[in-house]
Amino acid sequence: CLVKEERRNFREQYREVVSAGHLPRSIHLGNNIRFRVDKTPLRYGLSPGDPARAYRQDGYSGPSVLGADIIRQGKVRSYSNIEDWDTGLSIISYLNLAFPDEKCVCVMKHGIPFAVGKASSVEEAYVLAWNRDPIIPFGSVITLSGVVEKPLAERIHQVFIDGILAKGYTDGAIDVLRKKPDLRIIQLPNLRNPIDDYGYEVKSVQGGMLLADRHKLRTLRPEDIGVQSV
């Protein structure tokens, strides 16, 4: 019955999706770069009522918000949700590289990294990040580098957020988070894996676009730093 009810809710939510049929189903950049439209539509674009599509890069093997497993859609994801999760994922990836033995959490809202926490457990990291200011991140999205367990899910259940992206969830955590019908819950099992494929950075400008290799994350070692006398 629960599954049938969720499917019914999904159908209702997809009726809210702004039609983007005029946008291309694939984008080719040269002979070796191709982006295909993601099977999951976006609810809207930069603002409510604006059409938008998300595209996945062919052959990309690194962690990606668009490659995450949707555990519960909640409301259909919007352009800003994807942007915020992607920025959070980039921050978490850097922290994972710099602090491989710790768990990290990033709270994003409207394109701004509102707070970041790192600790020995993902719950501790969440508390550090959220307590930065428990009022302002109302309606934010959260990225967590570890597995969400029931005690952490109960903390998250007490606040209003748009969505959560984590490495994984226990069954008890999912049971708690499902009580929020509009909460977007997605899972990215390879979130903490070392990155060897950074893909491309594509940004639009008026009348054109910018294309670049994404910045490759690395941490500085003592031997990378030198002192030069003047």
Side-chain angles (χ1 to χ4, degrees), residues 226-230:
V227 178
Q228 184 175 5
S229 59
V230 178

Side-chain angles (χ1 to χ4, degrees), residues 43-205:
R43 193 171 177 217
Y44 53 79
L46 292 169
S47 299
D50 294 340
R53 274 180 165 172
Y55 298 85
R56 297 178 66 173
Q57 180 185 322
D58 278 4
Y60 178 73
S61 60
S64 168
V65 176
L66 297 177
D69 302 321
I70 298 175
I71 294 180
R72 180 181 177 84
Q73 178 70 62
K75 288 186 176 179
V76 179
R77 297 172 297 173
S78 69
Y79 186 106
S80 61
N81 291 150
I82 300 295
E83 271 195 323
D84 282 348
W85 268 320
D86 181 64
T87 303
L89 178 59
S90 295
I91 292 171
I92 291 295
S93 296
Y94 175 79
L95 292 174
N96 287 340
L97 185 64
F99 307 100
D101 298 325
E102 298 194 79
K103 300 295 190 298
C104 306
V105 171
C106 180
V107 181
M108 293 288 306
K109 185 174 181 180
H110 301 322
I112 301 171
F114 174 76
V116 173
K118 69 177 181 66
S120 58
S121 74
V122 69
E123 184 173 1
E124 291 178 88
Y126 168 82
V127 171
L128 288 172
W130 192 265
N131 285 349
R132 173 67 178 79
D133 186 320
I135 305 286
I136 292 178
F138 182 88
S140 59
V141 300
I142 304 176
T143 305
L144 308 98
S145 69
V147 174
V148 177
E149 298 184 346
K150 186 175 180 179
L152 175 52
E154 289 172 341
R155 285 182 180 273
I156 294 172
H157 186 265
Q158 296 171 12
V159 299
F160 173 73
I161 60 172
D162 265 2
I164 178 171
L165 167 64
K167 180 177 175 62
Y169 306 84
T170 64
D171 291 342
I174 290 296
D175 290 340
V176 172
L177 295 173
R178 282 183 187 273
K179 295 176 184 178
K180 284 184 172 288
D182 290 339
L183 179 64
R184 304 157 174 91
I185 307 172
I186 61 177
Q187 174 177 280
L188 191 58
N190 66 341
L191 191 149
R192 286 184 64 90
N193 290 3
I195 300 176
D196 56 8
D197 184 356
Y198 289 85
Y200 299 95
E201 185 76 40
V202 182
K203 182 176 178 61
S204 66
V205 295

